Amino acid sequence: MNPSVLDDIHPHSFEPYLHGLAGLAPSLPPKVRVNGVAPVGYEQALRDLGQKGPGPLAIYIHVPFCPTRCNFCACTTNVTHDPGTIDAYLDSLEDELGLVASHLGRGWAVNHLHLGGGTPNHLRDDHLTRLMEIVDDHFRVPESALACIECNPRRTSPQQLELLRELGFCSLSLGVQDLSWEVQRVIGRVHSAAMIRDVCGMARAAGFHNVSIDLIHGLPEQTEASLAATLEQVIAMEPDRIRCFSYRHVPSDFPHQAAINPQTLPGVTENFALFLRVVKDLTQAGYIWIGAECFARPGDEWAMAQAAGRLHRNGIGFTALDSGCQLAFGPHGNGEVGRLLVQNESDLGAWQRAVKAGHLPISWGHRLSDRDYQRRRAYEQLLCNLTLPRSSLDSLDEDLPTLEQFAAQGLLELTGDGLRVTASGRFLLRSLCARLERSLNWDCRPW
Ligand code: SF4
């Protein structure tokens, strides 16, 4: 995107959208239970997949443990320092992989493995090693696989990073959020820029091919000036990718967020201005804007895939690989197998009890109709590559009046070649696609 285009973007002109007045709610209800699928339906989907034979596969493993709870947290996690609790989790994880393999078959090649959380690197070295042994007992993770791990920079060490490389991880995602002391103090997550810089350097020295940094906009006490200072320091660390999500203050769902005084939060227009600052500063620094909230250096595979119109996404996030289907393990994991979307029990105890009873531990499932499946793929294409060819529009004929309305509002362009997201539409891309295909709003991992 030409940076000068951003000069024409003014937060106040987006207020009707930000307040949901223009038919585009800023966020939709997270999940509606529709045509629930019992575990037996998931078992059958795995058997059907197994009969088709090995194909590309992505695996997400949720590690639901942290050393402390950050005040802004909206993740499924548990604070523990008890090695026995983590041993018990690994026992259940082993059983869950065994259950899935009993339907799917063993030894499928994985082209994308992601350890998320929680804080996966809160696990001790022997726990991390055992976790990967469990994966290797059930699946085959070739050296060429993209293996990513989310890490809290405060919990890393050169030794741990070397172990992670030995275990096959090549991509590291660091949760930084903000570098301002005022913001860090209020969100309960304090670390210096120098420490983050050191961790980035250690990761590169250990041989990680890709180092990414996660930030959040809309945090308490955050101002445009403080965020600009954070961005300047992060840019100087030269991460391959930067992801910047919006903080959601929902203390009714996440009671620890009550520690944050809502008076210290930016309003919706101010929050939009914060994200505009992120887009301006990162694109001026040479980063390519990916999808709605991610940024990558020009040589990064996401940037190259987006430029070529072949970027994909799954429940883990963007990927340059077409993973076909995604299996998720651990509490709250989201999977997609064929037409079936499933989510595991979120509560650690409920997940463990289901696995112990020999059931696939899903708490929710939805079977997409053929039509909805095509719609999901079409809007994913728009989310990832910002265009939709005319041929894909045929599956969206009933959306045409809405698409034309968005085009009249300047958010999309409808041409003879198909559909294109405009610069303004880019800022509303996530809401726009989730409004049109509700299943996209059910994926709990970042987009
Ligand atoms: S590290 Fe992440 S998952 Fe853990 S408490 Fe903080 S925000 Fe939540």
Side-chain angles (χ1 to χ4, degrees), residues 62-79 117-120 150-152 154 175 177 187-189 216 256:
H62 192 77
V63 181
F65 302 110
C66 290
T68 56
R69 186 101 185 190
C70 310
N71 294 337
F72 64 91
C73 179
C75 300
T76 298
T77 192
N78 303 269
V79 173
T119 305
E150 296 173 9
C151 286
N152 182 333
R154 286 180 304 183
Q177 328 312 354
I187 65 173
R189 189 175 170 111
I216 299 180
H256 50 274

Side-chain angles (χ1 to χ4, degrees), residues 27-289:
S27 64
L28 299 173
K31 198 161 289 187
V32 181
R33 283 177 188 263
V34 280
N35 76 357
V37 173
V40 67
Y42 185 31
E43 288 172 7
Q44 187 59 49
L46 289 169
R47 281 197 292 274
D48 292 347
L49 181 66
Q51 275 173 6
K52 273 195 210 156
L57 189 65
I59 285 188
Y60 173 76
I61 297 180
H62 192 77
V63 181
F65 302 110
C66 290
T68 56
R69 186 101 185 190
C70 310
N71 294 337
F72 64 91
C73 179
C75 300
T76 298
T77 192
N78 303 269
V79 173
T80 188
H81 294 273
D82 173 23
T85 301
I86 299 186
D87 281 326
Y89 158 79
L90 291 172
D91 290 345
S92 299
L93 191 68
E94 186 165 19
D95 290 345
E96 189 187 9
L97 267 75
L99 273 168
V100 168
S102 71
H103 300 290
L104 177 72
R106 279 180 185 250
W108 276 54
V110 172
N111 67 353
H112 186 185
L113 168 71
H114 190 100
L115 243 63
T119 305
N121 71 323
H122 179 43
L123 268 54
R124 288 189 327 216
D125 288 359
D126 58 323
H127 286 141
L128 285 166
T129 303
R130 183 174 168 215
L131 191 154
M132 286 308 293
E133 284 170 356
I134 291 170
V135 172
D136 290 336
D137 279 350
H138 296 87
F139 295 96
R140 193 165 52 80
V141 187
E143 241 178 72
S144 58
L146 174 63
C148 318
I149 182 166
E150 296 173 9
C151 286
N152 182 333
R154 286 180 304 183
R155 310 295 297 182
T156 55
S157 66
Q159 294 75 19
Q160 185 190 59
L161 291 167
E162 275 163 27
L163 172 74
L164 292 172
R165 280 294 292 136
E166 281 166 25
L167 293 174
F169 291 96
C170 58
S171 177
L172 189 73
S173 170
L174 297 170
V176 172
Q177 328 312 354
D178 195 286
L179 289 172
S180 143
W181 156 249
E182 263 309 300
V183 175
Q184 291 188 1
R185 184 182 59 79
V186 181
I187 65 173
R189 189 175 170 111
V190 175
H191 39 227
S192 67
M195 190 267 279
I196 306 293
R197 199 165 30 246
D198 281 355
V199 172
C200 290
M202 287 189 303
R204 294 197 190 289
F208 280 87
H209 308 159
N210 196 296
V211 177
S212 96
I213 285 183
D214 287 353
L215 302 174
I216 299 180
H217 66 93
L219 287 170
E221 304 291 355
Q222 202 174 46
T223 64
E224 214 176 314
S226 75
L227 183 57
T230 290
L231 290 165
E232 189 180 351
Q233 293 173 88
V234 167
I235 290 166
M237 296 173 201
E238 302 183 345
D240 300 284
R241 293 175 190 152
I242 299 170
R243 302 185 301 174
C244 191
F245 305 107
S246 182
Y247 172 60
R248 282 182 62 236
H249 189 67
V250 197
S252 54
D253 289 351
F254 308 104
H256 50 274
Q257 290 184 349
I260 292 173
N261 177 355
Q263 306 290 333
T264 62
L265 293 169
V268 286
T269 308
E270 289 79 17
N271 193 21
F272 184 93
L274 289 171
F275 185 60
L276 183 57
R277 170 57 45 211
V278 170
V279 176
K280 282 183 173 174
D281 288 6
L282 293 183
T283 50
Q284 265 167 19
Y287 282 84
I288 309 293
W289 189 4

